[in-house]
Structure formats: structure tokens, C-alpha cells
Amino acid sequence: MNNSVKHSRLLIPGIFLLGACMRTPITSIPSIVKEIAQSFNIPETSLGILTTIPLICFGLFSVIIPAISRRWGNETTIAISLALLTIGSLMRIANYSMLIWGTILVGVAITFINVLLPALITDNLPTRVGSMTSLYNVALSLFSAIGAYAITPLAQASGWHFAVTILSLLPLITLLLWIPNLRFNHHDHQSSTKGANMWKNPRAWAMLIYFGASSFIFYTIVAWLPAMSESAGMSHTTASIVASLFQLFSLPASFAAPVLAARLQNRQIMVWVTGALVVIGTILLMLPISGFPYYALISALLGLGTAGTFSFTMTLFSLKTTNAADTSSLSGMVQSLGYFIAAIGPVIIGQLKAMTNNWALSEIVMLIVTVLFIIAGLITEHRRLIN
């Protein structure tokens, strides 16, 4: 592993802000979908694609990013992605066509950050993988929650166009802060510069299933927990609070999971604990019990479990490889098909609800998928390194 410590003093603040950019431009938009639909005179239901497009981009482009970063260098590639993210975010305010194209550009730009951030940490801070992964995952959860909460009153006060413009300042500020890191642009000059072929590695495939199936659950909960809460008798406002709590409870797991993963000798305990939280939360969803305290508990369990699993997986990209090239290769492979699996989650669960007119079968499928990702995670951790 590269033990070089030459990097800009702004690298660590930059990693934090990169984490903030990884989801906020996407997760903030659903809160103002109604305003966007009215502005462009289109059905609100047609804008569900705004959260699906980035996931498809994650799946399509993750696998090609390691080759691009080898040519341009990690720091330069990330700077270009931040510029594209700013442009794409601003494009969304023009008209409906630009909304779609801007969302595609946002998805592509964030894909670069998703794949390259673990490799960046491996290259620059190889002895601080746990703490640095924790740092950007906390930023991811924190800014997602802030963005989803703050964009609604901002849009109501000044219009959604202004709100999205303000949102676009985040990647712009991150880009300006990132510029000093370009002096330390990393290219891989090892004999294994292309990274190992992870597509032929069965443990990498197990990790892909672990990530994909757990993300299937996460995005399903993001999409349908408010509706599930309302089906249990809660008001729209209370159901929104339940959804906000889900994001809030993600924070401690986002912080703790990477640090623990880097310290534990037996990481299978992480798979068991995070998986068990999701299993218990899903079982509680299946019980005929309602009330805000009960659903707050469910939000806590599901938030801790899914965020812990995601943060743990992000840490494994670095922990299970010995150089940045392999980290980037593993990250790209797992996130490619993994996000395709994630993208079908809300669709399948929603269709099952529409077919049966209740959530029972949907919740059974969620439970089965959770058990599947626990098994895949245990296989992934059967050996300490991926090779």
C-alpha cells in the first residue's frame, strides 16, 4: 500500500465536503417535486425518475471510472466531476428537458466521487482509512438530512429555482477548496496499475451482492417509509418526521461503522449486528402496531442498520485491498451492478403494494433480501483480503 503522506492541508476538509456532495444534490429534490411539477406544468408522478436516474448512472458508469482516473489522476478527475456536478445542478432550473439532462450529469458526476473517494483515501491516508471513511459518510448523512429539510422552506420563501441554485453552491465551494489538491495529483505507476480483475473474484461478487441487496433495502425505505407510516394511520406531516428520523439515526452508524471496521480483527460481527438491526426493524414493520413512538423506533433500527451497512461497505473497498488501483477496481465493480440492484428495489416493492393493496408481501420480500445480504456479507468476510 502506498504510504506517501504528501498531500494538501485542505485534503481532509475536501474529503468532508466531497461526502456532502455525494447525495445532497439528489436527496434534496424529492421535497420540492410538487413545486417543480407545477412550474413545468407536468404530472408530479412523472418526476419519480429524478431519483432513479442517478442510481442508473451509478450502475452504468462505475466500472469505467478506474480507467479514466488512471489517465487523468484521482485528484484531477474529482475536480472535473465537481465542475460537472455544479453545471448539472444548475441546468435543472431551466426547463423540463434540462432538468432531465442536468440530473443525468449530476448522476455521472457523483458516480466519479463514489468510486474514487475510497481510492483517494488509500493513496493519501492509508493508515487512517476508518476515520476518513467515517468523516465522509457522516458528511453524506448530515448534509442529506439538512438539504432535505431546508430546501422546502427555502423554496416556499424564494421559489424552487432559487433553492436549487443555492444547493448548487455546495459542489462549487467544494471545487474551489479542492484546487490545492491538484498539486498532488496521484497516478498509479505500479505494475498492477490496472488493478486486479475483480469480475473473476467470487468474494468480490459476494461483496457486490452484499452492497446491492443492502442498497435495495435502503432506497426502498427512503422511497416508501413515509407511505408505510401513513398506512399505519399517521398524518402526512408525522410520516415526514418519521422519514427525517430515519436520516437522523443514520448519523451515528455512519460515524461508528468505518472506525470499528478498521479496528476489528473479526469483521463478521459488523455484518451480523447491522443486518440484525434491519431484520428487527423490518419485522416490526410487519406487526399491526401503529403510533409515532413505535415508528420512531423502527426508523432508528432501520437507519442505524442500513447506514451502518453502507458505511461498512465503503470502508471495505480500502480494507480488503492493498493498493489504490485494486481499491478503485473493486469499488467500480461492486458499485456498478450494485446500484442497478438498488434501483429496482423501490419499483418492485411499490408494484407489490399496488398488486396486493397492502404492504405485507412487500415487507416479506424486504426481509428475504435482508437475509440474503447478511449471507453475502459473511461470505465476503470469510477472508480478510479480497484476493
Side-chain angles (χ1 to χ4, degrees), residues 29 32 36 39-40 50 86-103 106 151 159-168:
I29 296 301
I32 56 171
I36 295 173
S39 173
F40 293 147
L50 295 181
T86 304
I87 294 167
S89 184
L90 287 170
M91 283 171 60
R92 296 181 294 182
I93 68 175
N95 52 52
Y96 179 69
S97 176
M98 296 300 282
L99 172 68
I100 300 301
W101 284 108
T103 301
V106 165
I151 198 168
W160 76 267
H161 297 83
F162 178 76
V164 172
T165 301
I166 294 298
L167 191 69
S168 304

Side-chain angles (χ1 to χ4, degrees), residues 169-203:
L169 292 177
L170 178 60
L172 178 60
I173 292 169
T174 306
L175 173 60
L176 295 175
L177 190 73
W178 191 254
I179 289 173
N181 292 297
L182 299 181
R183 291 176 51 215
F184 304 92
N185 191 34
H186 282 84
H187 293 268
D188 292 311
H189 297 295
Q190 308 172 38
S191 59
S192 62
T193 185
K194 291 185 178 180
N197 186 350
M198 296 299 172
W199 295 99
K200 295 182 179 180
N201 188 316
R203 280 173 296 280

Side-chain angles (χ1 to χ4, degrees), residues 221-245:
I221 294 167
V222 169
W224 296 117
L225 183 59
M228 291 177 176
S229 304
E230 290 188 45
S231 295
M234 272 173 269
S235 67
H236 179 69
T237 301
T238 306
S240 298
I241 295 173
V242 169
S244 298
L245 287 176

